[in-house]
Amino acid sequence: MNPTPLAQWQFAITSVYHFFFVPLTLGLSVLVAIMETLYVRTGRDLYKRMTKFWGKLFLINFAMGVVTGIVQEFQFGMNWSEYSRFVGNIFGAPLAIEALLAFFLESTFLGLWIFGWDKLSKKMHLAAIWLVAFGSNLSALWILIANSFMQQPTGYAIENGQAVMTSFWALVANPHVWVQFPHTVLSGFTTGAFFVMGISVYQLLRKKEPEFFNRSFELANVFGVISVLLVILVGHSQGQHMVRVQPMKMAAAEALWQSEDPASFSLFTIGDEKNLDDVFAIRIPRVLSLLAYNRLDGEVKGIRDLQAEYETLYGPGNYVPSVFTAYWSFRIMVGSGFLMLFLSAWTLFRMMRGLPVVVGKYFKFFPLAILLPYAANTTGWLLTEMGRQPWVVFGLMKTADAVSPTVSFGHILTTLIGFTLVYGLLMGADLYLLAKHAKAGPEIQTPTRTVNDQAYWE
Amino acid sequence: MELNTLWFILIGVLYTGYLVLEGFDFGVGILLPFLGKNDTQRRMIINTVGPHWDGNEVWLITAGGATFAAFPHWYATMFSGFYLPLFIILIALIIRGVAFEFRSKDNHPFWRSFWDWGIFFGSLIPALLWGVAFANLIRGVPIDANMNYVGGFWNLLNPYALLGGLLSLTGFMLHGAIFLALKTTGRLHDNARNAAMRIWLPAILILMVFTVFTYFETDVLIKLGVNPGVIPIAAVLCGLVTGWFIRQKRDGWAFTLNALAIVFSSATLFLILFPRVMISSLNPAWSLTIQNSASAPYTLKVMTIVAAIFVPIVLLYQGWTYWVFRKRISERLEDLHY
């Protein structure tokens, strides 16, 4: 049996799972660092308790992100050895740099942060969490430099059937990186903000620790509104970039079967992927041109024309990704994004008017809104990766040619089942712990230490 | 020096650093059920490696990444070839890492004992399998003309490799026991030192048997000769002196010497390997070498610059954390963060 789909499933499952934890790490690390900064600057116990409470939830999540990340690095070699041989010259470098620059930084200083409360000076301890936040977000940069090469290869030459790096600068300065990286990191910030907002509202509805959770909510709200606004703006640039470098992905995301000028935006489409045609569609004229070029006309290429174009360019084959996945991923992502913007702007508006932020039934759903960034993050990656198919490296290598030739169907099935079972079990444990500690709320008071307990440098 | 050789050495250093550092936290994890008689003791044991295990594991991730970048064919052949053992190692490392973080965040005895076993097996399995993998690396595995591993799973479990597994297992247990002795006080400290004394003998015996075996199972005779040179001999000597220091109750020296024994053993392994990176047991001409498996010179040059700047920085701050946490673990519960 053909092992490629199984290997793809494994990559999808392990990556999506890994990316449940990463965005929260990106965002919550920064939020916890801000809280500790407030503590160090004001000396208020409230901020110390906030740092510890949200820090604990951060750690529970962080561990999951770390361990599932190891799989990510290993599975390129395990399941995709032909891919690794083909792109190793280029793709391996950012991975190695990510480990050297970012993973060492975040893991080492996280250890210092967890265990160093009484061993480091206040400022040193604060520096540790900022370095963790910096390290996590720096790791995002390097892995996205690697991923961007798969989306839009730059700075390479093909020698003896291998892609060879010709310019490290071109790899790093790949324009794709500089729309994808801010979009991803800001999504992480948004995830952190909605996580804190959701749990805060949950506790406020239970009338628990109002000062603590109001302050947490306010902080996260301001952080969230800025982040989500920027996510949407950068996302818009990213979409325009996609029209230029990966038009097929955009055409699939819009279920645009034929090229249009001016191009219409699909409000709702039921498509027939076999015949590349609409079954039922509601489209708004000119809006896709507007999105693509910031003006009311301009050609956006359709799936059929691109298919024909790619056949002459790359030879016969099917160059159409799953339109269903791309189309609905795009809509869920964008929809969640705007819903988050609306929610956070609304509460910010109330806050700035001095109105009570959490009132009655309107806010009952806020804890549920924690799911919105997760929906957007997941569908965002589904669109990015599945919308690129059949390519693993756009224009250079097809996914079907990338799998390990010696790894059998049975092997992949074994590991697929193994990872799924273990990941399922760990997800249960993770959610249980998060819920337990989120419900329990902050510790009443940080234990006061006697003079004798203090370290000499304090 | 030629960049290919430099990167072979650097990757050797990264794997060696990984074995030395994660070696002791594997050992600590394996000894957890034997030395932790009650929950406080178990927490103390886990807290000795608490600030360090994650940073130690990054050595593996960096080694993997560096292999990918500098020798893509090595990375591709080894990772797809050692498929199931690597999968088992991954699962073990996943459960172990989560277990460290989760176990003390709930009081239920079942919860704690579940994750304690996670730490035990999550440490035991990789401690064993890394030895199996490295022994296979120097023994040679079936690699065809297209650089693909064609041996299957059971082929990796030959007696020599299993002995290599036992060597890494006992070596890491010894390493962990000495580390625990170094980081604890009172009864736990005494028990850890006793454990170190008991593990030392089998560990050194296995090291010697494995050394002899290596003369028959690998091409060490051709590569290094009957007298293998300073480094392999230093490995055995350091292992012997470790035992003496344990008996002299000099924990710091014992730990240093055992760390050196691991360093020299690992260095020996890479000496035997060089200039190959994967030895084909089917045809020597099909072996992967630092030439035919390497990235182009440009990539190596870029990576060399990055490594020259950042490896010293990493060593500095990671070394500093060991200085910050140099004191022995106390029994005060509020100090136990795990």
Side-chain angles (χ1 to χ4, degrees):
Chain A
M1 270 188 279
N2 181 7
T4 307
L6 270 190
Q8 283 179 294
W9 269 106
Q10 182 163 117
F11 193 83
I13 289 173
T14 52
S15 305
V16 165
Y17 189 87
H18 177 57
F19 210 71
F20 280 144
F21 307 102
V22 172
L24 188 58
T25 297
L26 297 180
L28 203 50
S29 61
V30 175
L31 274 168
V32 171
I34 292 173
M35 289 168 189
E36 193 169 347
T37 308
L38 289 170
Y39 164 62
V40 171
R41 293 189 67 169
T42 66
R44 283 181 66 188
D45 198 47
L46 173 73
Y47 290 123
K48 186 175 187 183
R49 291 171 67 221
M50 274 167 63
T51 308
K52 290 232 173 184
F53 172 73
W54 296 108
K56 186 183 273 180
L57 300 179
F58 168 73
L59 291 177
I60 293 168
N61 172 75
F62 183 87
M64 296 286 285
V66 167
V67 296
T68 51
I70 313 175
V71 178
Q72 294 306 100
E73 196 200 45
F74 277 44
Q75 72 174 322
F76 294 115
M78 291 170 71
N79 283 344
W80 307 95
S81 69
E82 287 299 310
Y83 168 78
S84 304
R85 292 182 203 283
F86 179 67
V87 296
N89 264 280
I90 298 161
F91 192 83
L95 253 59
I97 295 172
E98 181 189 24
L100 188 60
L101 268 64
F103 291 158
F104 271 123
L105 200 65
E106 62 173 347
S107 63
T108 309
F109 284 93
L110 189 68
L112 276 164
W113 189 75
I114 302 173
F115 292 86
W117 278 100
D118 303 327
K119 290 196 167 60
L120 298 171
S121 71
K122 268 188 185 176
K123 284 199 171 144
M124 207 50 236
H125 193 260
L126 175 64
I129 189 72
W130 275 112
L131 286 170
V132 172
F134 175 71
S136 304
N137 286 285
L138 185 65
S139 83
L141 173 65
W142 288 102
I143 195 63
L144 293 175
I145 287 174
N147 181 261
S148 286
F149 182 80
M150 302 164 79
Q151 313 291 345
Q152 184 186 354
T154 49
Y156 71 97
I158 303 290
E159 284 173 16
N160 307 323
Q162 272 191 326
V164 177
M165 199 194 291
T166 54
S167 164
F168 182 65
W169 175 246
L171 182 72
V172 173
N174 184 347
H176 196 276
V177 174
W178 299 100
V179 284
Q180 193 183 24
F181 170 64
H183 190 67
T184 310
V185 161
L186 290 162
S187 306
F189 290 1
T190 307
T191 310
F194 272 79
F195 183 82
V196 172
M197 283 195 279
I199 291 170
S200 296
V201 168
Y202 169 79
Q203 293 287 15
L204 287 169
L205 290 171
R206 294 165 77 207
K207 310 229 183 305
K208 197 164 178 179
E209 294 258 9
E211 195 199 0
F212 183 100
F213 285 109
N214 260 316
R215 193 75 199 102
S216 301
F217 184 89
E218 287 167 12
L219 203 70
N221 198 166
V222 173
F223 188 66
V225 119
I226 299 169
S227 304
V228 76
L229 188 65
L230 292 175
V231 166
I232 291 172
L233 288 175
V234 175
H236 177 55
S237 310
Q238 203 179 0
Q240 297 189 327
H241 188 76
M242 201 206 302
V243 174
R244 285 198 300 275
V245 301
Q246 288 180 297
M248 182 62 100
K249 196 188 277 183
M250 182 49 101
E254 278 301 319
L256 186 71
W257 310 108
Q258 271 172 323
S259 304
E260 288 183 2
D261 183 10
S264 62
F265 173 84
S266 161
L267 207 56
F268 181 81
T269 297
I270 297 172
D272 173 3
E273 290 196 43
K274 209 171 246 165
N275 299 313
L276 302 179
D277 211 343
D278 284 333
V279 175
F280 174 79
I282 308 172
R283 304 189 76 92
I284 315 174
R286 290 182 182 273
V287 172
L288 184 55
S289 287
L290 181 69
L291 288 175
Y293 306 110
N294 294 339
R295 54 190 162 84
L296 286 172
D297 51 22
E299 190 196 45
V300 178
K301 283 183 181 164
I303 293 171
R304 285 190 216 162
D305 301 291
L306 287 164
Q307 167 69 24
E309 192 182 307
Y310 287 172
E311 274 181 40
T312 42
L313 209 59
Y314 303 115
N318 181 8
Y319 296 94
V320 185
S322 163
V323 178
F324 178 85
T325 312
Y327 180 85
W328 287 109
S329 295
F330 191 46
R331 264 137 199 83
I332 293 170
M333 176 182 74
V334 173
S336 310
F338 275 100
L339 200 52
M340 285 188 278
L341 179 65
F342 169 73
L343 280 174
S344 53
W346 180 44
T347 50
L348 187 72
F349 173 75
R350 289 185 66 91
M351 215 165 74
M352 288 169 74
R353 296 280 304 267
L355 297 166
V357 169
V358 177
V359 278
K361 56 183 179 181
Y362 294 113
F363 284 87
K364 287 242 166 84
F365 59 86
F366 230 109
L368 268 182
I370 296 178
L371 295 175
L372 289 174
Y374 288 90
N377 296 334
T378 305
T379 47
W381 273 114
L382 287 181
L383 173 62
T384 305
E385 293 297 294
M386 291 182 69
R388 191 192 57 232
Q389 302 302 323
W391 300 103
V392 65
V393 182
F394 185 80
L396 297 184
M397 186 185 221
K398 285 187 181 165
T399 308
D401 302 324
V403 288
S404 304
T406 53
V407 175
S408 67
F409 185 87
H411 274 145
I412 305 182
L413 188 66
T414 309
T415 56
L416 179 63
I417 293 171
F419 279 127
T420 308
L421 287 179
V422 171
Y423 277 13
L425 175 88
L426 292 183
M427 183 60 102
D430 180 69
L431 290 178
Y432 163 76
L433 264 195
L434 281 176
K436 181 193 138 139
H437 286 284
K439 269 186 197 166
E443 282 165 30
I444 306 301
Q445 217 179 354
T446 50
T448 46
R449 293 178 301 145
T450 62
V451 179
N452 292 338
D453 287 343
Q454 282 188 354
Y456 60 87
W457 54 79
E458 277 183 310
Chain B
M1 192 190 308
E2 190 206 12
L3 288 182
N4 299 48
T5 311
L6 180 74
W7 273 91
F8 180 85
I9 294 171
L10 199 58
I11 286 166
V13 169
L14 287 168
Y15 278 112
T16 305
Y18 173 67
L19 297 177
V20 169
L21 291 172
E22 186 124 289
F24 73 75
D25 64 56
F26 280 149
V28 168
I30 298 167
L31 293 168
L32 177 67
F34 303 105
L35 295 179
K37 306 288 184 209
N38 54 47
D39 192 61
T40 308
Q41 284 193 353
R42 284 194 282 276
R43 286 188 66 179
M44 287 171 68
I45 290 172
I46 294 168
N47 275 270
T48 61
V49 295
H52 306 301
W53 73 268
D54 191 7
N56 294 347
E57 204 152 285
V58 175
W59 284 77
L60 171 67
I61 301 173
T62 311
T67 312
F68 196 172
F71 301 105
H73 291 295
W74 185 8
Y75 170 81
T77 304
M78 183 161 72
F79 282 50
S80 63
F82 296 176
Y83 191 81
L84 288 179
L86 277 177
F87 163 70
I88 297 167
I89 286 175
L90 284 175
I91 292 288
L93 291 180
I94 288 170
I95 291 177
R96 186 179 104 102
V98 171
F100 278 132
E101 201 59 59
F102 282 12
R103 74 82 72 190
S104 294
K105 291 200 166 60
D106 195 290
N107 295 325
H108 199 283
F110 173 76
W111 174 272
R112 291 203 165 176
S113 110
F114 178 83
W115 294 112
D116 283 345
W117 286 112
I119 292 174
F120 172 72
F121 284 108
S123 304
L124 177 88
I125 292 168
L128 182 81
L129 288 183
W130 283 126
V132 172
F134 279 110
N136 273 311
L137 215 54
I138 54 172
R139 181 176 181 260
V141 289
I143 291 172
D144 68 11
N146 300 316
M147 296 187 169
N148 281 316
Y149 174 83
V150 287
F153 176 59
W154 298 107
N155 190 54
L156 295 171
L157 299 182
N158 53 78
Y160 177 70
L162 289 175
L163 193 65
L166 281 182
L167 177 62
S168 57
L169 178 66
T170 49
F172 292 158
M173 281 173 73
L174 178 62
H175 207 33
I178 305 172
F179 181 78
L180 271 179
L182 196 59
K183 297 293 279 187
T184 53
T185 51
R187 164 155 271 161
L188 192 53
H189 165 82
D190 297 341
N191 290 346
R193 187 185 283 149
N194 285 337
M197 255 188 266
R198 254 177 286 156
I199 301 162
W200 175 76
L201 189 64
I204 196 77
L205 286 177
I206 293 173
L207 175 63
M208 287 170 172
V209 176
F210 185 78
T211 308
V212 174
F213 238 92
T214 301
Y215 276 91
F216 295 97
E217 291 282 334
T218 72
D219 55 5
V220 68
L221 268 179
I222 306 158
K223 291 280 306 170
L224 304 179
V226 182
N227 171 2
V230 179
I231 289 174
I233 293 171
V236 178
L237 280 181
C238 287
L240 286 167
V241 181
T242 302
W244 187 76
F245 277 121
I246 297 170
R247 273 171 182 69
Q248 295 296 310
K249 307 193 174 174
R250 307 283 294 270
D251 298 334
W253 279 107
F255 186 73
T256 310
L257 265 292
N258 197 51
L260 285 175
I262 296 175
V263 168
F264 287 128
S265 305
S266 173
T268 305
L269 200 139
F270 282 95
L271 273 180
I272 296 173
L273 207 53
F274 185 82
R276 302 155 299 179
V277 293
M278 295 281 293
I279 301 169
S280 172
S281 59
L282 301 178
N283 180 345
W286 295 343
S287 292
L288 279 69
T289 68
I290 60 166
Q291 302 302 341
N292 70 10
S293 72
S295 281
Y298 179 79
T299 301
L300 294 180
K301 208 170 85 188
V302 168
M303 293 302 298
T304 305
I305 295 167
V306 174
I309 298 170
F310 287 98
V311 169
I313 296 175
V314 168
L315 288 176
L316 270 179
Y317 66 65
Q318 208 174 40
W320 178 64
T321 62
Y322 280 90
W323 173 253
V324 170
F325 300 107
R326 67 192 176 282
K327 294 221 172 96
R328 293 175 192 267
I329 293 283
S330 83
E331 275 184 61
R332 297 191 327 160
L333 281 180
E334 64 265 29
D335 286 348
L336 300 179
H337 295 277
Y338 269 168

